[in-house]
Amino acid sequence: MEAGSLTPRGDRSVLERSPRERAADPIFRAVLLGLGLGVLAIILYFFIKLASESSDAFSKFGVLGFTFGADWDVSRLQFGAWPLLFGTIVSSAIALIVGVPIAVATALFVTELCPRRLRAPLSILVDLLAAVPSVVYGLWGFLFLVPHLRGFQQFLADTFSFLPFVGGTVAGPSYFIAGLILAIMILPIVSAITREVVSRVPVEHKEAALALGATRWEMIRMAVLPYSRAGITGASMLGLGRALGETIAVTLVIGNSPSIGKQVFDQGYTLAAVIANEFGEAANQPLHKSALFAAGLVLFLLTLAVNAAARAIVQRSERGQRAAPAEAAGAAPAAAVGA
Amino acid sequence: MSSLPPVSARRLRTDRVMRGLLGAGTVAALIPLVLVIYYVLLKGLGALSWSFFSTDPTGNFLGDPGGIKSAILGTIEIVVLASVIAIPIGIGVALYLVEYGKQGRLAYVIRYFVDVMTGVPSIVFGLFVYVTLVVGTGYAAWKGSVALALLMLPIVARSSEVVLLLVPDSLREAALALGTPRWRVVLRIVLPTAASGLVTGALLSVARAAGETAPLLFTASLVNGTNFALGKPTNSLPLQIFSDVQQAQDRLQQRAWGAALTLVALILLLTLFARLLASRRTV
């Protein structure tokens, strides 16, 4: 009777917790909130620190003068980041051009075409590409790809010399090799997200296309691709964000020459690679160090912009897809094109 | 019964060509995997021996280059400390987002910044740790761990959030209805229910961090000898590979392949273990 009684014991009910016990909840909440706010503080501090460290370079050369200056010469203390920015953009663009079609093809093949038994093993194999560290890709690119692809690069340069930005004598390490390595590195992430997006296409849309007499490819083209276009775009942008910031593998295969290449088979440099290579020697030269921080800040802002765009696209496509079943329930698959 | 009109030859041809292309794309995606694994095995196996694992790099340009003992132990030391920092904080942030923040404005901001953190290039984290911790006091293992932790934290937080959202609300409500305080619900009901998923996310972030080179370049640095002092410069596998591959010497490049094989094997084991856990997940 005593134990289960609801009668007041002293001045509070037995069901009521002691003040000390009640304090535990707010404390727990405050600790977790503190962790969350800590993350905000770190990122803000990170940004402020980066900006203040790079202010010397920006005030000496001007923000635009630094970012788009064409001369990066350590011995004359002349720092213009355009050759690096250019190399970053070109190598990442090559990565997208080579990597995205292959990644999307893989995702479509795995989800729509291959026998069900092969689905899981193939997905795991593609995902394994992400488990290889970037320094190992760099090692492989440097000691295998660069020497073995010299002839292939020269062949491409000669054959397609009518294109702008192609032709002439190839260097061993180049934008092209860096782009290839980056393509391999973004493949798993782009492919995994695309697989996810494609598998969310309502089965009714696909069956409707097949019932209307579409072949498998026509079904993919008319029902699957329009529905997942935004998601695939977002996946590619996330891959791009990854490629822009990749450091070690690129450092080993791009040649590290701070000049603006005339063609894709020339040697180049990237923002991330210049930091990795020159930071060690820059510690005693304040302007050089500041210029490298400025390069880091430019790189950070570039990836930030690309990632923000990617997230916006993916989120919009997710909202569109959640709304789609309601409005497109009875409609033909083509109705999803606008979604 | 009327039969369907036959599909035109052109459409059939397109279908077959496109299917072939999609299949070819899949093969193309697997070629680099096969080539990388093949070459790492081919060149790396030749470098492995007992002394390879049991001696430190000598740093001599001539003669015996030594093994990678300090690099293996250093990597383990740095990554373990990074995990100790990043995993509890990451799970804590995820708990705040799922249990308290929910769809509120603050939670939205925190989520956004965690996403921003995911996108920061790893070398830039290296720079950040250099200016905040290394300047004036020198390289140290724990500073490398902090740089890796910054990289792991958003991965852990986002993967944990996804897993915690899967814990059914009915479990929380049942516990709360029995009079359990909120913090006990979280620690005794939510976390154990989501445990295997949390471990999977954490292991994948560890695998990611173990292969990172860039954040360690200006934080933990590259040395030859083994040491367990967290306050001293410490060797690591990725940096050892990075440094060896740039030397135009066969013996050093050979060591780079051997170290690469060791690193890939370590990371694959971690990844496979994480996937195995994920596939047995109950939540």
Side-chain angles (χ1 to χ4, degrees), chain A residues 5 31 38 95 99 110 157 163 172 191 240-241 266 269 287 290 294-296 313 337 339:
Chain A
S5 166
V31 168
V110 167
L163 291 171
S191 180
L240 176 61
D266 272 344
Y269 223 153
L287 186 62
S290 174
I313 292 172
V337 174

Side-chain angles (χ1 to χ4, degrees), chain B residues 204-271:
Chain B
L204 287 177
S205 79
V206 172
R208 171 83 198 282
E212 279 290 340
T213 319
L216 299 178
L217 273 173
F218 333 116
T219 52
S221 194
L222 180 74
V223 292
N224 288 323
T226 303
N227 76 71
F228 294 101
L230 289 171
K232 284 189 180 160
T234 301
N235 210 359
S236 59
L237 276 172
L239 268 190
Q240 187 68 53
I241 299 170
F242 183 59
S243 140
D244 282 347
V245 69
Q246 291 176 310
Q247 317 287 335
Q249 272 201 54
D250 282 348
R251 284 168 304 114
L252 291 181
Q253 293 187 346
Q254 168 104 6
R255 182 169 72 191
W257 284 110
L261 177 60
T262 315
L263 183 61
V264 169
L266 271 176
I267 291 177
L268 278 188
L269 276 180
L270 266 177
T271 312

Side-chain angles (χ1 to χ4, degrees), chain A residues 212-213, chain B residues 2-8 11:
Chain A
L212 288 172
Chain B
S2 65
S3 63
L4 290 168
V7 178
S8 78
R11 286 175 57 205

